[in-house]
Amino acid sequence: MSTLTAVLIIAAVVVALLAAGVLLRARTGSDNGTRSLRRRFGPEYDRTLERHGGDSESAHRDLSERVERHGGIRPLPLEPAVREHYTAQWTMLQERFVDAPRQAVADADELLARIAATRGFPEPERPEDQLAALSVHHPHHVESLRTVRRALRSTSVSTEELREALVDARALFEGLMAAGTPAGTGGARARRVSGPKHGHLLNPKGSGA
């Protein structure tokens, strides 16, 4: 074997090893990025992947952009009087559900948007931005707000569907009312807030939603 042939073989081996290393690092980095996003977003990760038709690259880009835009939000504290006011409003709209289910759900939508703005999330006039920010900080419960809005847009939604939407939305209400860090940023579940229990229609078993 000539010296030139040996050098070419060595060079080819070196190139192949370098290419393999780059590929491995890219794959490992991608896996780490997927795990990180799954860990941060939980069920919101799967919903986003589904909305992008299973295109993981588009889903990752979507979620990463949300974190970049809204991850730095530090929720503002709620004054005790404001917290009490919002809790009373939630209790009242639940009680109104029996006589006016659609209006009660519409009131819940408005109240959740207002609480989010009070805590420092984007204003209700920017609903998509507000939802994106909430998905970063409350990924386990943000879908309930989307469900509420889908129900309100529907002309054929049943009373039971409205009831389920309102019951599910309570978890987001509690998360927004929680005094500490939102559930999505630390993995902890939103704690219960003090206040009257659900009415019979919204809580047929007599326990919190």
Side-chain angles (χ1 to χ4, degrees):
M1 180 185 300
S2 67
T3 302
L4 178 59
T5 302
V7 169
L8 291 175
I9 291 174
I10 293 172
V13 170
V14 169
V15 169
L17 290 173
L18 288 173
V22 170
L23 180 61
L24 179 61
R25 283 195 298 274
R27 184 174 300 172
T28 302
S30 176
D31 290 344
N32 287 340
T34 298
R35 284 196 296 270
S36 177
L37 288 171
R38 279 188 180 278
R39 187 164 53 248
R40 174 159 197 156
F41 283 95
E44 182 67 9
Y45 177 93
D46 294 324
R47 286 190 290 265
T48 303
L49 186 62
E50 182 178 354
R51 282 197 293 271
H52 285 281
D55 184 346
S56 59
E57 184 176 343
S58 295
H60 290 187
R61 183 165 55 251
D62 181 345
L63 294 171
S64 297
E65 288 175 354
R66 293 190 218 173
V67 173
E68 184 176 351
R69 290 201 316 271
H70 306 296
I73 293 175
R74 294 294 176 263
L76 302 172
L78 292 175
E79 294 293 333
V82 175
R83 185 184 304 278
E84 184 177 346
H85 174 67
Y86 285 152
T87 300
Q89 285 192 304
W90 186 267
T91 300
M92 287 173 58
L93 69 86
Q94 288 184 136
E95 292 171 349
R96 287 199 299 268
F97 183 89
V98 177
D99 297 320
R102 180 179 285 273
Q103 185 58 51
V105 173
D107 291 344
D109 178 16
E110 181 182 346
L111 180 58
L112 289 168
R114 196 182 330 134
I115 297 172
T118 302
R119 300 232 45 195
F121 292 98
E123 294 293 324
E125 292 76 14
R126 298 157 52 201
E128 292 305 317
D129 272 353
Q130 191 179 74
L131 277 172
L134 289 172
S135 75
V136 173
H137 294 268
H138 295 276
H140 291 273
H141 306 305
V142 67
E143 184 66 12
S144 66
L145 184 52
R146 297 191 187 107
T147 300
V148 161
R149 292 175 179 176
R150 283 195 295 268
L152 292 173
R153 289 194 299 268
S154 173
T155 58
S156 59
V157 64
S158 67
T159 299
E160 176 59 20
E161 288 171 327
L162 288 169
R163 187 194 72 83
E164 291 176 356
L166 186 55
V167 169
D168 289 344
R170 181 175 172 88
L172 178 58
F173 169 77
E174 291 177 340
L176 287 168
M177 293 288 286
T181 304
T185 59
R189 296 180 64 85
R191 66 173 179 82
R192 292 266 177 201
V193 296
S194 299
K197 298 292 185 180
H198 293 278
H200 179 71
L201 178 65
L202 294 180
N203 189 25
K205 296 182 180 179
S207 61

